[in-house]
């Protein structure tokens, strides 16, 4: 079966750095996505990785290792507005997105 | 980025009535649209995938006669929840993808909060 694993909840301090991990087992791989979702809102796109390595975009970076079936989202200089759920999703061989359950990130002052 | 508009953003309806949710791609042709449902504190659950001009493909456990999907044009898909019941209360989200977007993310509508009373 297809499976995406990520921690259920994480807590971090404002101004600090946090890393959210995601491991996956899917039938085929056509890219990995990270989305941010605030409560009651639709997901918004953060990053896309299809090749191994680190993609940096401002305060957010995403890393991928296809051989390990592993990705992480790194958030730097955390702000209170970063409190949200972070969803990892993998596009499989049928170009269908397989979703993780999401990681709820709580930022404390 | 591309824009997907979903309407209404929230709706309250009586049990037994039907509700229609619209999903429009505003600046690209959406050859494929996806309908998701999300219950509180849970992740997105794909309900169905629709390609323009053809019948939707429903995920296992989703009643196609209850959740009617129409994708008659490259810019509009609709989801109709027929004979809604309180257990259908959820957050419904559409996303759209065009041929040129196969290598990038699907674009999401704003979501529709459905409450059946």
């Amino acid at each position: 079966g297809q499976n995406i694993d990520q921690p259920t909840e994480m807590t971090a301090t404002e101004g600090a750095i946090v890393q959210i991990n995601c491991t996956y087992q899917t039938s085929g791989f056509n890219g990995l996505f990270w989305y941010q979702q605030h409560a009651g809102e639709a997901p918004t796109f953060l990053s896309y990785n299809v090749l191994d390595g680190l993609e940096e975009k401002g305060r957010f970076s995403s890393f991928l290792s296809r051989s390990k079936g592993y990705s992480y989202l790194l958030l730097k200089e955390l702000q209170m507005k970063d409190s949200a759920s972070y969803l990892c999703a993998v596009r499989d061989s049928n170009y269908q997105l397989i979703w993780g359950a999401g990681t709820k990130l709580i930022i404390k002052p | 980025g591309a824009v997907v508009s979903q309407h209404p953003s929230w709706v309250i309806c009586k049990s037994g009535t039907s509700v229609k949710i619209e999903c429009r791609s505003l600046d690209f042709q959406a050859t494929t649209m996806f309908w998701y449902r999300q219950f509180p504190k849970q992740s997105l659950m794909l309900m169905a995938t629709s390609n323009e001009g053809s019948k939707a493909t429903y995920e296992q456990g989703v009643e196609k006669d209850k959740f009617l999907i129409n994708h008659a044009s490259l810019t509009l898909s609709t989801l109709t929840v027929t004979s809604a019941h309180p257990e259908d209360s959820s957050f419904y989200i559409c996303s759209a993808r065009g041929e040129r977007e196969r290598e990038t993310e699907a674009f999401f509508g704003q979501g529709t909060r459905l409450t059946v009373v």
Side-chain angles (χ1 to χ4, degrees):
Chain A
Q2 309 205 89
N3 194 48
I4 309 274
D5 286 318
Q6 50 181 131
T8 303
E9 186 174 298
M10 298 182 71
T11 302
T13 305
E14 189 177 15
I17 299 173
V18 70
Q19 177 175 311
I20 303 174
N21 296 324
C22 170
T23 57
Y24 63 90
Q25 291 176 309
T26 57
S27 56
F29 179 85
N30 281 298
L32 184 144
F33 301 83
W34 283 96
Y35 291 85
Q36 180 190 61
Q37 186 179 26
H38 286 99
E41 299 180 12
T44 54
F45 170 76
L46 289 179
S47 68
Y48 168 71
N49 294 70
V50 67
L51 299 176
D52 290 350
L54 187 68
E55 293 281 343
E56 297 186 76
K57 190 184 291 185
R59 294 190 298 116
F60 294 1
S61 302
S62 57
F63 171 83
L64 173 67
S65 169
R66 287 171 296 171
S67 62
K68 295 181 179 179
Y70 167 71
S71 172
Y72 68 72
L73 179 69
L74 190 72
L75 293 78
K76 303 176 184 177
E77 301 171 17
L78 287 170
Q79 302 175 9
M80 297 304 292
K81 67 178 182 180
D82 297 330
S83 292
S85 287
Y86 291 85
L87 307 174
C88 172
V90 173
R91 180 168 279 166
D92 68 8
S93 56
N94 294 320
Y95 274 82
Q96 180 167 314
L97 282 177
I98 310 301
W99 293 87
T103 298
K104 183 179 179 180
L105 178 63
I106 299 169
I107 309 296
K108 295 184 175 180
Chain B
V3 178
V4 175
S5 177
Q6 186 173 341
H7 178 80
S9 56
W10 62 270
V11 58
I12 301 173
C13 71
K14 291 184 177 180
S15 186
T17 61
S18 296
V19 173
K20 179 184 283 188
I21 302 170
E22 292 187 349
C23 182
R24 295 180 183 273
S25 57
L26 299 184
D27 55 358
F28 70 103
Q29 293 184 328
T31 51
T32 306
M33 285 195 175
F34 306 88
W35 286 95
Y36 293 89
R37 181 167 53 182
Q38 186 176 35
F39 292 105
K41 298 184 180 181
Q42 295 186 23
S43 190
L44 300 171
M45 293 176 56
L46 181 65
M47 298 175 66
T49 303
S50 71
N51 293 296
E52 184 266 338
S54 60
K55 289 184 178 180
T57 301
Y58 290 81
E59 295 299 301
Q60 192 171 9
V62 178
E63 301 173 57
K64 62 180 181 180
D65 293 331
K66 180 172 182 63
F67 299 98
L68 302 178
I69 293 173
N70 183 286
H71 190 172
S73 77
L74 286 171
T75 59
L76 174 64
S77 176
T78 60
L79 166 68
T80 302
V81 183
T82 63
S83 187
H85 292 286
E87 57 264 32
D88 297 324
S89 298
S90 185
F91 191 50
Y92 292 85
I93 309 172
C94 70
S95 71
R97 190 180 75 202
E99 282 303 316
R100 293 179 57 187
E101 284 72 39
R102 283 177 71 80
E103 297 304 317
T104 58
E105 78 280 19
F107 302 100
F108 287 88
Q110 303 94 319
T112 298
R113 173 75 57 193
L114 171 63
T115 302
V116 184
V117 297

